[in-house]
Amino acid sequence: MNEVLASTLRKAVYERLDYLDRLVNEADLPSRASLADTEIARLTAAWRSLLANHEPDERGRCRACGGWRRRRPHPCSVWTTAHKNLIVVDTRSTPTTGRHAAASCLPTAG
Ligand SMILES: [Zn+2]
């Protein structure tokens, strides 16, 4: 992919995320419910596809991260980001940097 296409792709994805954020924050309840019907399925499919590309190989290393000589150990940053955003209950109310950041990444009970 050349630089122009990569930039266009990146811009389009960020614009879509901005659009969804605006809907979540500004739309009325029926509109948000409608959004959930379509966008949650799309987002879970996107996460599954992304995570499938980063599944560990037979040696416990990410199939996508790292160079051809040395793959990164699993879990890679994609999996830790998924865990942080999908499993941790409320990342907005917990620190994401600093000495308490690691505690916010712990799985929740239940
Ligand atoms: Zn990876």
Side-chain angles (χ1 to χ4, degrees):
M1 183 178 298
N2 71 31
E3 192 173 314
V4 173
L5 282 176
S7 175
T8 301
L9 180 148
R10 185 172 180 268
K11 183 174 183 271
V13 169
Y14 274 124
E15 285 176 353
R16 180 66 177 177
L17 291 172
D18 290 344
Y19 168 74
L20 293 172
D21 280 343
R22 275 196 311 278
L23 284 178
V24 166
N25 291 317
E26 299 170 11
D28 60 14
L29 187 58
S31 298
R32 290 195 314 248
S34 175
L35 181 72
D37 284 344
T38 58
E39 294 303 324
I40 288 177
R42 289 179 69 184
L43 291 174
T44 57
W47 270 111
R48 288 182 189 281
S49 176
L50 181 62
L51 293 171
N53 290 334
H54 292 264
E55 279 289 318
D57 64 13
E58 63 282 348
R59 295 174 54 209
R61 296 190 171 273
C62 177
R63 297 175 189 276
C65 293
W68 64 273
R69 293 183 69 185
R70 183 79 173 159
R71 292 178 171 171
R72 297 213 185 273
H74 183 77
C76 67
S77 62
V78 170
W79 275 92
T80 57
T81 299
H83 182 267
K84 180 179 173 185
N85 287 279
L86 298 173
I87 305 301
V88 175
V89 173
D90 188 1
T91 58
R92 288 170 294 188
S93 65
T94 56
T96 56
T97 58
R99 66 183 202 164
H100 298 293
S104 70
C105 293
L106 294 174
T108 57

